[in-house]
Amino acid sequence: MTRPRGRPHRNRAPASRERILDAALELLDTGGIEGFTMRALADRLQVNPMTIYHHFGDRDGLVDALSEHVYAEVSAPASGAFLERMRSLLQAYHERVLAHPGLTLLIFSQPAVFPRQAQRITDEIKLLLAEAGLPSAMSRLWLNILVDFTHGAAIASAMGDRSSSATRDAKEDYDKTLSVLLKGLNT
Amino acid sequence: MTRPRGRPHRNRAPASRERILDAALELLDTGGIEGFTMRALADRLQVNPMTIYHHFGDRDGLVDALSEHVYAEVSAPASGAFLERMRSLLQAYHERVLAHPGLTLLIFSQPAVFPRQAQRITDEIKLLLAEAGLPSAMSRLWLNILVDFTHGAAIASAMGDRSSSATRDAKEDYDKTLSVLLKGLNT
DNA sequence: ACCTGAACACCGTTCAAGT
DNA sequence: ACCTGAACACCGTTCAAGT
């Protein structure tokens, strides 16, 4: 190691939360869940493995921070027809999943991590269903349908092809499938 | 280690495929995906870790064998109304998922493993949809819906509560939700 | 054919020590 | 406050050796 032992002088900090998160996403998108280790990430950052622990606590903390970072802007438009707002929300979430499929697998395979963003998005779906005036029993079942379908589609995209053309097809396929599903909500 | 070094005399074989698979499921159901390691499994079997490799090749091979073992008998009844056959198939699969939730996470988090049983069940759904006379474009979209919903429900059950009362509720909840979903297929 | 033992190249993480 | 180095208790797996 060429780096001196102490704290680097200001404007030279080799690791910030931002830089670590970006590098982590790159590593995950490139090498998949398999190659995503604390030590590999440290190597990529040219930093001691323990530096990451200083910023995120532990591996679960890092995964949690990643999902906060990736899903933060997913939300339904404030106005519009109920069905279109729901469609926008689910498509926005799916777009983020397609952008970083490995993160989905990482979250699902790390039982200790249940990202707040996942809960927030679920709550938003629930709220939309309530606003649409569905009876509460029906609303609960449709919440299951939409959440489970979304997670299943996430898994499918995470296990599938990763070429950009396949990703485009995946988006189109998802949109069409979602339309069919949402027809059931309309009747 | 008290066990002698060579091959044990017959009727004393400490490990058979069957015995290893049963112990593996017990370990997985008890300790979850976290504690499921080759070495922990070997300990539980009172056997050298390498014994498992002799029977299953490697960890992926073991997970593959587990899914063959658990999902082998999932299939649609040979006769009956289309919708009831579909419902039976999906319920049968979901029942196996509820019985061993950890296995679902294990499969999804191990990209190298794509169980033949998963493909077989998917093919059966596809066949049922074709027999029902759906146009092929529609059939493809409904395949997405049913498969993704099923996988999403599997994830949900794997991440949720594991008490037997929660499991019973989960079954009831799934059955009701599935009914709502299948109504869309009927129209 | 089936099992063991030792060893290798990894992990995540703790703890002490630097500036 | 932020970073490093060494060490610990694990992993999955290979290879050689036993019967």
Side-chain angles (χ1 to χ4, degrees):
Chain A
M1 288 294 147
T2 65
R3 188 177 304 285
R5 214 167 193 254
R7 178 189 193 180
H9 42 293
R10 56 189 159 75
N11 291 345
R12 283 293 194 94
S16 63
R17 280 183 65 95
E18 200 68 20
R19 238 174 65 78
I20 294 172
L21 289 176
D22 287 349
L25 279 180
E26 261 182 55
L27 179 63
L28 189 55
D29 294 343
T30 306
I33 199 180
E34 212 89 313
F36 188 75
T37 71
M38 301 299 269
R39 289 174 119 106
L41 177 55
D43 271 7
R44 175 176 276 255
L45 284 162
Q46 303 251 54
V47 127
N48 186 285
M50 293 320 302
T51 301
I52 305 167
Y53 285 81
H54 180 260
H55 287 275
F56 297 99
D58 60 5
R59 196 176 192 267
D60 286 343
L62 175 60
V63 174
D64 191 63
L66 279 176
S67 44
E68 293 299 308
H69 188 244
V70 166
Y71 303 123
E73 285 169 24
V74 173
S75 85
S79 66
F82 153 69
L83 221 61
E84 283 315 309
R85 295 175 72 200
M86 182 70 86
R87 185 201 309 276
S88 282
L89 175 60
L90 296 179
Q91 281 178 343
Y93 177 55
H94 192 250
E95 189 274 324
R96 300 316 291 154
V97 167
L98 282 182
H100 305 288
L103 183 57
T104 307
L105 292 184
L106 212 54
I107 291 167
F108 287 148
S109 64
Q110 217 134 356
V113 178
F114 190 77
R116 287 179 301 268
Q117 295 294 338
Q119 187 59 56
R120 182 186 60 74
I121 294 172
T122 303
D123 288 345
E124 224 174 305
I125 297 175
K126 200 189 291 192
L127 197 67
L128 281 177
L129 288 170
E131 284 180 17
L134 256 74
S136 79
M138 254 326 190
S139 176
R140 195 170 53 80
L141 299 181
W142 269 102
L143 182 66
N144 285 340
I145 290 177
L146 294 175
V147 168
D148 290 349
F149 168 71
T150 299
H151 285 161
I155 288 288
S157 80
M159 304 207 306
D161 196 339
R162 244 166 255 174
S163 67
S164 70
S165 73
T167 295
R168 183 163 28 74
D169 291 352
K171 171 156 179 41
E172 210 176 302
D173 212 51
Y174 177 80
D175 290 353
K176 282 187 193 165
T177 306
L178 184 60
S179 287
V180 174
L181 186 58
L182 289 179
K183 272 191 191 122
L185 246 181
N186 209 15
T187 56
Chain B
M1 290 292 148
T2 64
R3 188 176 304 286
R5 213 165 193 253
R7 177 190 193 180
H9 43 293
R10 55 188 159 73
N11 291 346
R12 283 292 195 95
S16 64
R17 280 183 66 94
E18 199 70 18
R19 238 174 65 78
I20 294 173
L21 289 176
D22 286 348
L25 280 180
E26 261 181 54
L27 179 63
L28 189 55
D29 295 341
T30 306
I33 198 181
E34 211 90 313
F36 188 75
T37 71
M38 301 299 269
R39 290 174 118 106
L41 177 55
D43 272 6
R44 175 176 276 256
L45 284 162
Q46 303 251 53
V47 128
N48 188 285
M50 292 320 301
T51 301
I52 305 168
Y53 285 81
H54 181 261
H55 287 275
F56 298 98
D58 60 4
R59 195 175 192 268
D60 286 343
L62 175 59
V63 174
D64 192 64
L66 279 175
S67 44
E68 294 299 309
H69 188 246
V70 167
Y71 302 124
E73 286 168 23
V74 173
S75 86
S79 66
F82 153 70
L83 220 60
E84 284 314 309
R85 294 175 74 201
M86 182 68 88
R87 186 200 309 276
S88 283
L89 174 61
L90 296 179
Q91 281 178 343
Y93 177 56
H94 192 251
E95 187 275 324
R96 300 315 292 152
V97 167
L98 282 182
H100 305 289
L103 183 56
T104 306
L105 293 184
L106 212 54
I107 291 167
F108 288 148
S109 65
Q110 216 133 356
V113 177
F114 190 78
R116 287 178 300 270
Q117 295 294 338
Q119 188 59 56
R120 182 186 60 74
I121 295 172
T122 302
D123 288 345
E124 225 175 302
I125 297 174
K126 200 188 292 190
L127 197 67
L128 281 176
L129 288 169
E131 284 179 17
L134 256 74
S136 79
M138 254 326 191
S139 176
R140 194 171 54 79
L141 300 181
W142 270 101
L143 182 66
N144 285 341
I145 291 177
L146 295 176
V147 168
D148 290 349
F149 168 71
T150 300
H151 285 161
I155 288 288
S157 80
M159 303 208 306
D161 196 339
R162 245 166 253 175
S163 66
S164 70
S165 72
T167 296
R168 183 162 30 73
D169 291 352
K171 172 157 178 38
E172 210 176 299
D173 211 51
Y174 178 80
D175 290 353
K176 283 188 192 165
T177 306
L178 183 59
S179 287
V180 173
L181 186 58
L182 289 179
K183 274 191 190 123
L185 247 180
N186 209 14
T187 56

